[in-house]
Amino acid sequence: MRRSAFLIAAAVSLAFANPAAAANASFGCEAAQPAVCYFRIFYYPQYNRQIILPAAMKVTVPWINIGRDRYCLSVGTAPSYDCSRKLITNGYNH
């Protein structure tokens, strides 16, 4: 009984302790002046946040899971929750 509990605890800790999964991702607004870009980042499984960037600005966002988390981009207004989501890459997301 103790051995199975230990194996289950070890498996759970390995599943949630993946430090290589979280990384920084670059985002930027390619719109012409004086436009503003609104990014909505969807963190897996349910959390999301919004980032607002003026035209020609770039920023690095920490704690992104590259290849799993997604984002939407809209110029001038905030994107809706049901927008068409793009996969976040380790390159430049715009």
Side-chain angles (χ1 to χ4, degrees):
M1 180 77 173
R2 288 185 122 199
R3 184 175 179 194
S4 64
F6 174 75
L7 291 175
I8 291 172
V12 168
S13 67
L14 286 175
F16 290 105
N18 188 359
N24 296 337
S26 298
F27 288 87
C29 182
E30 297 290 325
Q33 294 280 2
V36 176
C37 294
Y38 293 84
F39 290 90
R40 184 179 296 261
I41 300 175
F42 295 91
Y43 297 95
Y44 180 83
Q46 62 187 5
Y47 176 71
N48 72 79
R49 81 186 252 203
Q50 186 167 299
I51 297 173
I52 303 169
L53 296 177
M57 184 172 180
K58 298 177 184 176
V59 69
T60 300
V61 179
W63 298 106
I64 299 286
N65 286 311
I66 305 294
R68 185 176 74 174
D69 295 337
R70 298 180 177 272
Y71 76 98
C72 291
L73 168 65
S74 180
V75 177
T77 61
S80 64
Y81 184 79
D82 60 346
C83 59
S84 177
R85 301 175 186 183
K86 300 177 188 175
L87 193 63
I88 297 175
T89 65
N90 60 355
Y92 181 60
N93 300 284
H94 57 14

